[in-house]
Amino acid sequence: MSEPDAASAGAKPAPSNLVMRVLAALVLAPLAIALAYAGGWLWALLVTLVSIGLFAEWLMVVGAGSTALTGAGTIVIAMMGLCVAAGALKTAIIVGCVGGAIIMLIARGKFVWAGTGFAYASAALLASILVRKDLVNGFSALMFVLLVVWATDIGGYFAGRSIGGPKLWPRVSPKKTWSGALGGFTASLAVAGGFAACGIGKAVPLLLVGAVLSVVSQLGDLFESAVKRRFGVKDSSHLIPGHGGLLDRLDGFVAAILMAWIIGFLRHGVHSAGSGLMVW
């Protein structure tokens, strides 16, 4: 979940805006953690609603936010969330494939962008629920991903502001710096080390996984920035005070949770992805 201009040395935000960012984070972070701990239908409901929001914002960013397209995406993503929460993963995938085709037909001239946005939101939905569904290590795996992403954002934000220096990719994100990227990367290693110190996983594997997730998180942030720059959009919406929209807040998390699920799936299979991520 990326802070606005994380890993950057941009202009210092107004105090009122910084206060709004902090207050929003103090409300949203505990809520996300509480529902992640609860798991089950509560977590699936949150993830489904957020995924619908991601798709709706994506459509607005790319200039395809029609009522028909947004409505179709809402129905399909809601059905996928219901299916995967109930354990019917194959059905969820079939619904996603059929629904995605319908969405692309409705989008017409914007079918590539609409299809990409639907795939983006669907990947966030499936990976977030499947990682948590691991009954043994689902919660610890989900918290590991969340904390690595948050640490990457926060470490990058403050390192970029205090150190500055060469820009990371000025064409895509003019304010992000190499110092911010390295600061966020270092912070993510501290999280991995903290988990290992608490006996939740082995140090070396967690450090490697944390490093991978941090880099992927920052790439996810850059990807969303590139899409917004392509369409001349500053924020995906103004839903979250001080943070912009869901896309602005969750771009890094979406990339990281998808990578986390892939790692877990390759090691321990579909239903034990959390253990595959944390147990080495």
Side-chain angles (χ1 to χ4, degrees), residues 11 26 102 164:
L26 288 175
I102 293 173

Side-chain angles (χ1 to χ4, degrees), residues 2-249:
S2 62
E3 297 287 343
D5 297 328
S8 72
K12 189 174 182 178
S16 59
N17 188 45
L18 182 59
V19 169
M20 291 182 69
R21 292 184 188 182
V22 173
L23 290 175
L26 288 175
V27 172
L28 295 176
L31 176 63
I33 292 172
L35 293 180
Y37 179 77
W41 287 98
L42 287 175
W43 175 246
L45 176 61
L46 175 65
V47 171
T48 301
L49 292 174
V50 169
S51 298
I52 290 171
L54 289 174
F55 181 63
E57 287 189 356
W58 178 284
L59 292 179
M60 289 189 290
V61 168
V62 302
S66 68
T67 301
L69 200 52
T70 304
T74 297
I75 293 171
V76 175
I77 292 172
M79 291 175 62
M80 291 178 67
L82 176 64
C83 290
V84 72
L89 178 59
K90 292 182 179 179
T91 303
I93 293 174
I94 292 172
V95 169
C97 290
V98 174
I102 293 173
I103 286 168
M104 293 176 73
L105 286 173
I106 296 174
R108 296 184 179 179
K110 292 278 187 177
F111 73 94
V112 173
W113 287 106
T116 302
F118 178 75
Y120 184 88
S122 298
L125 172 79
L126 295 176
S128 299
I129 295 177
L130 289 173
V131 168
R132 180 61 185 91
K133 280 179 77 70
D134 184 329
L135 297 178
V136 180
N137 291 289
F139 178 65
S140 61
L142 185 57
M143 287 307 304
F144 182 74
V145 178
L146 282 170
L147 291 175
V148 164
V149 173
W150 288 343
T152 298
D153 291 339
I154 295 169
Y157 178 75
F158 285 105
R161 278 166 51 87
S162 60
I163 300 173
K167 304 301 182 182
L168 180 63
W169 194 355
R171 183 176 179 182
V172 169
S173 187
K175 295 181 180 179
K176 290 182 175 60
T177 62
W178 280 101
S179 62
L182 292 175
F185 181 81
T186 302
S188 73
L189 297 183
V191 169
F195 269 73
C198 293
I200 308 174
K202 297 179 180 179
V204 173
L206 286 186
L207 287 169
L208 291 174
V209 172
V212 170
L213 295 182
S214 179
V215 171
V216 170
S217 171
Q218 296 191 54
L219 291 175
D221 191 352
L222 288 171
F223 170 72
E224 195 245 1
S225 294
V227 173
K228 289 192 298 183
R229 182 162 288 274
R230 165 67 174 76
F231 289 94
V233 175
K234 184 180 184 296
D235 295 319
S236 59
S237 77
H238 301 288
L239 180 64
I240 307 173
H243 292 283
L246 291 171
L247 274 173
D248 302 313
R249 187 75 180 110

